[in-house]
Amino acid sequence: MSQSMAHRFTNDQIAEYREAFNLFDTDGKGCITEEELGGVIDSLGGKGAEMSPEELHNFVVEIDTDGNGTIEFNEFLDMLAKIMPEDEEEDECSMVFHVFDNSRCGLVGYQNMKAVFNNIGEIIGDEDINAIIKQYDRDNDNKLSFSEFKTMFEDNMKD
């Protein structure tokens, strides 16, 4: 990561971003390929999230400063430093919420969670997904609003 952007992140943030990077690095090779990035973008769903193969390739080329065709962790951090606003905690939670709320209805339900976990290669059982929703669903509609999701997000950031 370039020196000018290193000051943006604390050690805790870097550790969190490493975890996110590792989720996207589905083959565990220490880099994100175009195919893996495409899966992440597909999981975002919604308007504007679809990229053509050419747009996806151009995006990787833009991020890939060493020119090897993949995104390594330092390039991932540089990308985050460029796109993350200064007040990132709320925005980070909002971005994660939008990944899960791929139908853009303002709620995250079972199908949303299942789709995201499948897209990132995380095997989570139906009972576990339902337990997560039940734990944070204050209004008992079997879906998480942004405020319910934010509580879950903040609880998981403490771990």
Side-chain angles (χ1 to χ4, degrees):
M1 187 160 94
S2 64
Q3 289 290 27
S4 64
M5 295 190 189
H7 73 279
R8 286 283 312 273
F9 303 124
T10 66
N11 288 338
D12 287 343
Q13 288 172 316
I14 291 171
E16 290 169 23
Y17 298 148
R18 171 63 77 179
E19 287 180 29
F21 179 85
N22 289 340
L23 288 175
F24 301 148
D25 176 20
T26 58
D27 61 10
K29 292 185 177 178
C31 59
I32 300 174
T33 64
E34 279 187 40
E35 183 178 282
E36 291 166 331
L37 184 61
V40 171
I41 291 170
D42 287 345
S43 75
L44 293 172
K47 190 174 170 181
E50 295 177 13
M51 289 181 124
S52 71
E54 183 180 337
E55 290 170 322
L56 180 62
H57 176 75
N58 291 339
F59 186 64
V60 170
V61 168
E62 182 181 327
I63 298 167
D64 179 27
T65 57
D66 65 7
N68 68 353
T70 59
I71 302 167
E72 285 73 29
F73 185 63
N74 64 326
E75 294 166 331
F76 184 74
L77 286 177
D78 281 344
M79 175 192 69
L80 290 175
K82 290 175 187 173
I83 64 171
M84 300 270 303
E86 292 293 329
D87 180 19
E88 70 185 70
E89 187 171 311
E90 180 79 25
D91 288 333
E92 185 177 356
C93 181
S94 181
M95 285 190 303
V96 172
F97 180 78
H98 288 297
V99 168
F100 282 87
D101 179 24
N102 54 16
S103 60
R104 299 295 182 255
C105 68
L107 298 169
V108 173
Y110 169 84
Q111 292 297 332
N112 303 99
M113 284 194 174
K114 185 81 170 171
V116 171
F117 288 133
N118 284 340
N119 279 337
I120 63 174
E122 192 74 25
I123 305 204
I124 306 265
D126 295 346
E127 293 169 6
D128 293 331
I129 293 172
N130 286 322
I132 292 167
I133 293 171
K134 185 176 181 177
Q135 179 179 354
Y136 292 98
D137 181 21
R138 291 186 304 258
D139 60 4
N140 296 316
D141 64 352
N142 292 319
K143 295 181 169 111
L144 300 180
S145 65
F146 178 73
S147 65
E148 293 165 337
F149 186 89
K150 183 177 178 188
T151 301
M152 178 190 73
F153 182 83
E154 290 169 347
D155 286 353
N156 284 293
M157 296 306 273
K158 294 174 192 171
D159 295 339

